[in-house]
Amino acid sequence: MKIYLVSSTDSPEFTRLKCSFARSTVIALDAEWKPQRSSTSSFPIVTLLQVACRLGHDFDDVFLIDLTSIHLPSVWELLNDMFVSPDVLKLGFRFKQDLVYLSSTFTQHGCEGRFNEVKHYMDITGIYNHLQHKRFGRKAPKDIKSLAAICKELLDISLSKELQCSDWSHRPLTEEQKLYAATDAHCLLQIFDVFKSNLVEEITLQDPKHINVGLKDILNGSDCTSKIVTAKLCKAADVIRAMTQNGQNIANGMVSRKTTLNTMPMDENLLKIVRKYGERILLKESDLLPRISKKKTRRTSLKNEKTDKHLVCSMDWQGPPPWDSSLGGDGCPKFLLDVMVEGLAKHLRCVGIDAAVPPSKKPDSRELLDQALKEKRVLLTRDTKLLRHQDLAKHQIYRVKSLLKNEQLLEVIETFQLKISENQLMSRCTKCNGKFVQKPLTIEEAIEAAKGFQRIPNCLFNKNLEFWQCMNCHQLYWEGTQYHNAVQKFMDVCKLSE
């Protein structure tokens, strides 16, 4: 995919956006906004609209429309025509909420019109559940599967949602935010490619022509059962023909509607999919009114009165850590990281800091606190609810404020005044947090240690390398290209090269 940031209507990127709209028959949509409290009496302001356009086989353009800088009334008509165009299939993941927020944003910024509907729309969740039912013969689950889970299952791609709650109103956007936003929209096109072949095959089997072939075979039979089955199938075929003709008439009627967007017509297979599975998002007046539960708000406000002061005080680190010599500690920093900052654990290990994770995948608060107290560790988390247990684990809970792992690492180092040296880098096992054996292994010893456990690449045999083994999980490491790149990375992050 190629990524274009569109920030004004007189830019080359905007011209390309209009051309892509005219040439695309499949467009994927997504939006980003700054998260806000649920008790707020207004909708979030959408700051970024992502549009992924399928221009040809293996050729896609992804446009990041910056709604904070572009003149919104100038792009409203172009976007609205795309939303209602009968020649464009729109893909989304629970896009109705995005459309509500988008319509509210344009209205607040002086647009006379608003986005009321999206025609020829397909939701990835609905199609996924339909195919699962066909494949396994079970009803669609009540709980909606996340986009990351669907990507992992169908594309074998790990879609990181780390930046989902970042501040999307801050400018300029980071390169990580741009890639995250573009990938969120582009993956919908990739998922649809997986669905398309299955959908076309299924629709083809239900085509009246195929039913007629089956009818001819049955008509050759002479028993009473064949005649009854034939009569029923004839009625079914008539119904399907009528439905197909109806769909054709509706489609033709929709095509006749004029819009300012000159688009290419869909191919036959895509048109079949749209007729069979296409939906319409239609916003009602009630959808455009923010819903706030008065009962929930009242209960939350009373609860916050009691806890907010305590939580605000607990946000910043207070007091000496449990490893401090004044508390009988050994002076070696030790941390326990919950699932919300689990990625930070590997970064801490890479700079030589003892960073453990809980043994169970879903530990409760009590288990986390017990482990932190027992092992004299500071519990790192982003869960504000854990801060309410400060009285039980005094000076052993810290809420990490940063979202990106590199920034989180720097925050922890500065908050706890950790001393990082170049000799500490890559001195712990990133897999289990164990320490390495003191003496390095030769290539012969490494091959023997790796038997039935780990594969050593053949290209390393002729190199004079030293191997290091974790004393805990026995994982082998060597100083290759990845090692040197990692060392340089963490020297930059920790500012050791300055």
Side-chain angles (χ1 to χ4, degrees), residues 29-33 43-51 65 67 72 76 79-80 82-83 95-109 111 113-115 118 283 288:
L29 303 164
D30 193 25
E32 304 294 346
W33 53 84
F43 289 125
I45 299 296
V46 178
T47 58
L48 193 71
L49 177 66
Q50 302 102 277
V51 182
I65 305 176
L67 302 184
L72 298 190
W76 178 85
L79 293 175
N80 191 60
M82 180 267 292
F83 286 153
F95 188 71
K96 183 177 180 179
Q97 176 182 259
D98 298 42
L99 187 66
V100 170
Y101 295 170
L102 198 63
S103 184
S104 173
T105 299
F106 272 72
T107 303
Q108 290 181 47
H109 286 78
C111 290
R114 66 187 184 197
F115 302 116
V118 176
L283 299 185
L288 299 171

Side-chain angles (χ1 to χ4, degrees), residues 51-64:
V51 182
C53 300
R54 171 57 51 85
L55 300 178
H57 185 64
D58 294 333
F59 181 51
D60 305 317
D61 278 352
V62 182
F63 297 91
L64 307 180

Side-chain angles (χ1 to χ4, degrees), residues 174-194:
T174 65
E175 291 303 316
E176 290 83 2
Q177 283 180 308
K178 292 177 186 177
L179 182 59
Y180 168 89
T183 304
D184 251 17
H186 185 250
C187 71
L188 301 179
L189 294 178
Q190 294 174 289
I191 293 172
F192 179 71
D193 289 339
V194 177

